[in-house]
Amino acid sequence: MTDLLQPFPLGAARIDDASVFARARTELLHLARAYPVDRLLAVFRRNAGLDTRGALPPGNWEDFGHPNEDAWGERDYPGREHAQTANLVRGHYAGHFLSMLALSAAGEDDPTLRAKVDDLVAGLGEVQAALAATGRYSHPGFLAAYGEWQFSRLEDFAPYGEIWAPYYTCHKLMAGLLDAYELVGNRQALGLAVSMGHWVHGRLARLEPERRQRMWSLYIAGEFGGMNETMARLSAAADEPRFLETARFFDQDHLLDAGASRTDVLTDMHANQHLPQLIGYVDEYELTGERRYLDAALGIWDQIVPGRTYAHGGTGESELWGPPGTVAGDVGHRNAETCASYNLLKLARRLFAHTRDARYMAYYERTVLNHILGSRRAARSDVSPEVTYMFPVHPGALREYDNVGTCCGGTGLENHVKYQDTVFLAAPDGLYANFAADADLDWSEAGLRVSQRSGFPLGESVSLRFTGSGDGTERTVRLRVPAWAAGVPELRLNGDALDAPTVGEYAAVTRAWRDGDELTLTTPVSLRAEAAVDDPRQCALFLGATLLLAQSEATTGLAFGLNGRRAFDGSLITGRTGAQLLAELGRDGAIRIEGTSFEPCWSGEDGRYHMYVRSADAEIAFGGNGTGVPNRQRADGSTFLDELWAPGAFTDRTAFLARVADTARRVRAEGLLGRDELTAVLAAAAAFDGATGTPRADGRLDVPVLNDPALNDAGKVPPAVAIEVLDEPAPSGWYTTAPRIRLRGFDIDSGTSDELELELRLDGADWTPYTGPVAVTGEGVHRVEARVRDREGRTGAVSRELSVDTEPPVSEAVVKDLGASVEITLRADDAVSGVERIQWEGPGTFWGTFQEAFVRAIDDEPQVIEYAATDRAGNEEPRRRLVIPGRRESP
């Protein structure tokens, strides 16, 4: 492993203040400086019986436990029926915050942040000592903000709900302590982590392997984060071989075997329960040399990327993986947990260090720009990380910002203060420049400083400028050529052209680098539509590295004419060059396509968006120029343009015209193109130059299809049928009243409808004769099919989908008695379009949206709470009332 790529120290590289990444970094650094350490320590001090100094805990998952809860030891817990517990992962957020402080202190070389690291570590040290002094715990190294009982209950296979991933919280604390030691040099942090490590080893060494395997397989209860990674790191940091043995205690045999053998077992597994351990397997490989660890991480990666990843790099629906090779088919209402992308980026970085395979950095660039930068709201806060939990991908989605105290709130603390850690990596023979963020590097080993400038992601070139004396040693600088580059990229050294580099690989230049050298890579940008792996009609739009989100209040899919805009190379023609689109995006914060604004996924804005749009051309067009000929659908929904572009880009005009002729012949024979329409389509194709929307003056198409009697004689092809909807949908795109449909059959050549029989079928039921408009009743997404038959028996067919939700959701209030107060949880269900929000108001509040449980103190007089739910279609239920009795009415 002597050629393993290595990160530079965080302080050696810095993201430039003009970079798009600087926005999120600046806001998280503000939070790091503003947030009080005492608030992070409050839950620990309360658990240890120490003075909390009047500090409130962060809140949400990170709150004080129930008043009846005690600092129970491993066998003290009296059971759920006798002691309600709450906030069972409290303490994890402080671990993440400590990591953020350490990352920030190292990256900024800020003594104030270093002092804050020291204060938080010292506070945790006081808590560990106070807990040890009680003698209640199995080892004096125990450190947590709750009792040890969760760990012993896990050993007896307690389910999620009774316990909540105790080793997950342990990992976050230990990782934070190791970051404080490795990044800032805090030796007390290492001592605390070593003590915790001995406690962890003691708990697990006494268990038989079969029991550990069953523990780790428990849904969420057995989630341990990256404990194997942390114990392996601790083994190296403390020079303690026993901790490597402890890391192996967390090996999950079935996952290791499946990854190494490339057997897919991920369907319905909790994504972020297992992703962190893959990073740990890379650590274990590096310390043991056992290849199965690395093979497992590589094998599982290939099962996730790209077959289970969305356009912005996220993965999972409701935190679970769906079937392999399924993206569009696994879009729900809560996709792409940000924690999962956090861990996939860490894994990509580690796998790239071993393999140097550019595809890992292609994923890294896409995800760090779009999911991670886009996960931070463009706003300042003194108390909240303002990051997403889910970054959903369904039509009309909203980012789930805020997330104080949640798992993604914790990883979100770290995400935005370490953007520089992968821009450059060090190789034994030189340097890797992995993505084009504006950044500076102190390459001290070479005696040089490197300034990378590109305006990324709003530029079309990146330059590396070298300053300093240099040491005269030849070194290789490798610059990644992104796979999204359009046309032929150009590489220059000090203005002189070098051999054209390969798209999607690294361009390598070897020399003794010296002051004044400049290496420039030009990568033209185009607008492109990237189809989901399992549905060519569901597309995400990219401009270079930037994923574009359509801004719309609709909550059903948006349709755009994408195939009718394609160039021969597959890019989309808009009448503007890539450079012009980048300038528009930089100037206006959005670009407009067919009247819709598309914002960059990394914007951090709050509006409703569509990550995927549906490729659906109403008319046949080439290069954005319509022909006036309808792009009629087959019974399966496919069209002329779908078939034309299904194979992908065209190598030249000859291949394109041949494919047009072949497809037109087939579509005409199916009755989807009239005789005159066929001529119009072929003429328009001949006039298309393949790159712009400007028709060729010399366009002609001399092919036999124009002279085929079987296709040009009237009455020789099937009739056509159209499905017309007589009612308008709601702004959401859903029909909130039953839509009426009308069928229209006609001869494709003459337009007449004489002696045609029409039939209708709904959702795969029996075909029925059509006699007049029909209302589509029933909730859900309906498939409407129509067919037409002429007197010779020739048949045409068509289909379309209609989304119908006419009923509002149903909500309920669940009330928990807390003595002097009540905790109210509002729940709602809508099995059709899904619940959009629940709103409520009561004394002293306004009619607003509240997603979490809330507490109301019991007053002397009764309190009336009104609430109602709204679904994604736009249906709102009548207001409901909840009366909280006052003390005067209580028995």
Side-chain angles (χ1 to χ4, degrees):
M1 290 178 233
T2 56
D3 63 347
L4 189 66
L5 302 183
Q6 298 291 340
F8 287 94
L10 276 175
R14 179 173 177 80
I15 295 292
D16 187 74
D17 290 342
S19 167
V20 294
F21 294 101
R23 166 186 68 81
R25 178 197 63 192
T26 299
E27 299 305 345
L28 262 296
L29 287 174
H30 171 78
L31 181 67
R33 295 181 173 109
Y35 201 82
V37 167
D38 284 342
R39 292 196 65 181
L40 300 166
L41 291 169
V43 292
F44 293 93
R45 287 168 171 161
R46 168 72 68 85
N47 186 60
L50 299 175
D51 182 6
T52 62
R53 306 182 185 182
L56 293 174
N60 208 345
W61 297 0
E62 194 75 14
D63 214 334
F64 292 134
H66 191 274
N68 293 342
E69 193 172 347
D70 194 4
W72 291 304
E74 60 178 336
R75 307 199 186 284
D76 293 336
Y77 178 56
R80 295 177 68 184
E81 66 275 16
H82 300 296
Q84 295 172 321
T85 56
N87 305 103
L88 294 177
V89 290
R90 60 187 180 271
H92 79 104
Y93 193 68
H96 283 296
F97 212 104
L98 180 55
S99 289
M100 177 182 71
L101 290 173
L103 290 162
S104 301
E108 300 297 307
D109 193 21
D110 185 331
T112 302
L113 290 171
R114 290 177 184 271
K116 205 162 187 176
V117 169
D118 295 343
D119 289 346
L120 183 49
V121 170
L124 291 171
E126 291 172 359
V127 169
Q128 190 181 60
L131 292 173
T134 67
R136 301 180 77 171
Y137 304 99
S138 63
H139 186 281
F142 176 73
L143 175 58
Y146 47 74
E148 194 176 4
W149 64 272
Q150 282 204 74
F151 297 90
S152 55
R153 292 296 298 128
L154 173 61
E155 292 162 11
D156 289 332
F157 314 125
Y160 172 51
E162 181 178 344
I163 64 172
W164 190 353
Y167 279 105
Y168 175 91
T169 303
C170 180
H171 165 244
K172 304 312 172 190
L173 278 174
M174 293 187 72
L177 291 167
L178 275 175
D179 285 339
Y181 169 67
E182 293 175 348
L183 298 173
V184 181
N186 186 298
R187 297 201 62 81
Q188 183 185 10
L190 178 62
L192 299 181
V194 166
S195 295
M196 290 184 74
H198 286 301
W199 166 76
V200 172
H201 184 87
R203 284 219 69 94
L204 296 179
R206 63 191 184 185
L207 303 178
E208 61 275 16
E210 295 77 10
R211 181 173 290 268
R212 291 196 297 264
Q213 291 299 307
R214 184 175 171 188
M215 286 162 52
W216 308 144
S217 70
L218 294 173
Y219 174 73
I220 293 185
E223 183 175 357
F224 58 76
M227 279 300 299
N228 57 342
E229 175 200 10
T230 290
M231 295 308 303
R233 284 175 64 194
L234 185 60
S235 174
D239 193 21
E240 174 55 80
R242 171 179 290 186
F243 292 150
L244 182 55
E245 178 188 358
T246 314
R248 289 177 180 260
F249 289 159
F250 292 95
D251 290 353
Q252 201 163 354
D253 290 340
H254 88 282
L255 194 64
L256 274 167
D257 293 342
S261 65
R262 296 186 173 264
T263 302
D264 196 312
V265 297
L266 299 186
T267 302
D268 293 331
M269 289 178 67
H270 186 276
N272 208 50
Q273 181 167 346
H274 300 287
L275 280 171
Q277 72 196 76
L278 302 180
I279 304 163
Y281 292 154
V282 180
D283 280 277
E284 290 180 80
Y285 166 66
E286 291 175 3
L287 292 175
T288 67
E290 292 184 27
R291 181 72 194 193
R292 71 169 186 142
Y293 286 119
L294 182 60
D295 286 344
L298 291 166
I300 297 297
W301 172 275
D302 286 342
Q303 295 169 23
I304 301 168
V305 183
R308 287 182 170 98
T309 51
Y310 303 103
H312 60 352
T315 188
E317 156 60 16
S318 293
E319 305 186 13
L320 305 180
W321 277 308
T326 305
V327 173
D330 199 39
V331 171
H333 290 167
R334 301 200 72 235
N335 290 100
E337 182 185 10
T338 305
C339 276
S341 288
Y342 160 90
N343 281 307
L344 278 169
L345 288 175
K346 293 176 74 173
L347 181 59
R349 183 174 184 248
R350 300 296 296 278
L351 295 180
F352 178 70
H354 283 276
T355 67
R356 306 195 185 192
D357 189 330
R359 65 194 175 103
Y360 295 110
M361 283 298 109
Y363 173 84
Y364 197 100
E365 176 190 77
R366 169 178 297 219
T367 306
V368 76
L369 173 66
N370 293 295
H371 191 162
I372 297 305
L373 179 55
S375 73
R376 181 44 168 86
R377 191 200 303 264
R380 172 158 293 195
S381 175
D382 292 348
V383 295
S384 170
E386 291 293 352
V387 294
T388 59
Y389 192 119
M390 299 294 180
F391 197 144
V393 305
H394 61 268
L398 292 166
R399 294 172 175 91
E400 298 182 3
Y401 286 125
D402 186 20
N403 290 296
V404 170
T406 70
C407 56
C408 293
T411 53
L413 292 170
E414 301 177 39
N415 277 331
H416 307 286
V417 295
K418 62 184 182 71
Y419 285 117
Q420 73 271 35
D421 72 351
T422 309
V423 176
F424 306 103
L425 291 174
D429 65 345
L431 173 72
Y432 276 76
N434 298 309
F435 66 100
D438 290 352
D440 297 296
L441 172 68
D442 181 3
W443 193 8
S444 57
E445 182 186 16
L448 295 164
R449 289 189 62 82
V450 183
S451 177
Q452 177 171 276
R453 293 294 181 270
S454 67
F456 178 84
L458 299 175
E460 290 190 297
S461 67
V462 54
S463 67
L464 297 179
R465 297 184 181 92
F466 298 82
T467 57
S469 57
D471 63 3
T473 302
E474 280 198 346
R475 288 182 172 84
T476 300
V477 171
R478 296 172 177 87
L479 183 59
R480 190 174 64 85
V481 185
W484 48 257
V488 179
E490 182 182 78
L491 185 67
R492 290 183 176 273
L493 176 62
N494 299 328
D496 296 327
L498 304 179
D499 291 342
T502 302
V503 171
E505 301 294 338
Y506 278 79
V509 180
T510 302
R511 66 187 272 110
W513 298 90
R514 56 183 183 268
D515 187 68
D517 279 347
E518 182 172 8
L519 183 64
T520 302
L521 173 68
T522 300
T523 51
V525 166
S526 66
L527 181 68
R528 68 189 192 280
E530 183 179 287
V533 294
D534 54 331
D535 187 348
R537 296 190 191 97
Q538 296 300 321
C539 296
L541 299 191
F542 283 85
L543 182 61
T546 294
L547 171 61
L548 298 171
L549 306 177
Q551 300 172 300
S552 171
E553 291 298 310
T555 56
T556 56
L558 299 179
F560 286 86
L562 302 181
N563 284 332
R565 290 185 174 276
R566 292 191 186 275
F568 288 170
D569 64 3
S571 63
L572 300 180
I573 295 171
T574 64
R576 291 159 288 178
T577 66
Q580 288 170 331
L581 289 171
L582 289 173
E584 182 180 340
L585 189 63
R587 182 185 67 247
D588 302 335
I591 64 173
R592 292 189 68 80
I593 303 172
E594 293 186 12
T596 297
S597 288
F598 283 77
E599 65 170 318
C601 190
W602 42 262
S603 68
E605 296 299 329
D606 288 286
R608 198 179 295 279
Y609 61 87
H610 293 241
M611 189 171 293
Y612 290 94
V613 296
R614 189 172 68 257
S615 177
D617 296 78
E619 68 173 314
I620 294 174
F622 302 102
N625 294 315
T627 62
V629 177
N631 188 40
R632 298 184 181 93
Q633 293 183 356
R634 296 184 173 97
D636 65 0
S638 66
T639 68
F640 168 86
L641 286 177
D642 290 339
E643 182 178 346
L644 175 67
W645 290 100
F650 293 95
T651 55
D652 52 37
R653 184 168 182 264
T654 300
F656 168 74
L657 295 179
R659 177 79 181 168
V660 168
D662 184 59
T663 305
R665 176 187 290 107
R666 191 160 34 253
V667 171
R668 165 71 173 155
E670 295 172 11
L672 298 180
L673 274 179
R675 184 178 56 239
D676 294 339
E677 292 174 338
L678 174 65
T679 302
V681 167
L682 296 176
F688 179 40
D689 70 356
T692 72
T694 303
R696 294 167 57 101
D698 60 342
R700 66 185 182 86
L701 183 60
D702 184 14
V703 292
V705 68
L706 284 173
N707 303 313
D708 188 339
L711 300 182
N712 287 283
D713 289 346
K716 297 298 184 181
V717 295
V721 59
I723 300 172
E724 301 172 347
V725 184
L726 302 179
D727 302 284
E728 292 294 323
S732 64
W734 289 80
Y735 290 91
T736 53
T737 58
R740 295 165 299 148
I741 58 173
R742 179 173 62 197
L743 304 187
R744 185 171 62 87
F746 53 95
D747 180 274
I748 196 71
D749 289 324
S750 68
T752 61
S753 57
D754 298 337
E755 300 184 45
L756 297 178
E757 296 177 5
L758 295 170
E759 291 181 297
L760 177 69
R761 182 164 71 172
L762 186 64
D763 297 327
D766 293 335
W767 287 98
T768 59
Y770 173 79
T771 57
V774 176
V776 179
T777 58
E779 306 290 277
V781 179
H782 298 285
R783 179 175 173 80
V784 181
E785 296 175 89
R787 68 185 180 189
V788 58
R789 183 183 295 108
D790 64 18
R791 60 187 176 185
E792 280 78 29
R794 287 182 288 260
T795 301
V798 72
S799 67
R800 68 181 297 175
E801 286 188 347
L802 299 177
S803 301
V804 181
D805 187 353
T806 64
E807 298 293 331
V810 177
S811 62
E812 65 170 341
V814 178
V815 182
K816 180 188 292 187
D817 186 357
L818 301 179
S821 60
V822 293
E823 181 185 81
I824 301 171
T825 302
L826 299 178
R827 300 172 179 166
D829 180 68
D830 187 287
V832 185
S833 62
V835 176
E836 175 66 30
R837 62 183 179 272
I838 304 176
Q839 295 173 284
W840 66 269
E841 68 178 344
T845 67
F846 59 92
W847 184 249
T849 300
F850 301 85
Q851 295 182 330
E852 306 295 337
F854 58 96
V855 175
R856 301 287 291 191
I858 296 176
D859 295 333
D860 290 338
E861 301 298 329
Q863 300 177 58
V864 176
I865 304 293
E866 291 190 336
Y867 60 96
T870 303
D871 63 25
R872 295 177 64 240
N875 300 300
E876 182 176 350
E877 70 174 337
R879 289 195 182 195
R880 298 176 179 269
R881 289 167 58 89
L882 170 67
V883 179
I884 304 172
R887 282 190 291 266
R888 292 176 181 171
E889 293 186 358
S890 300

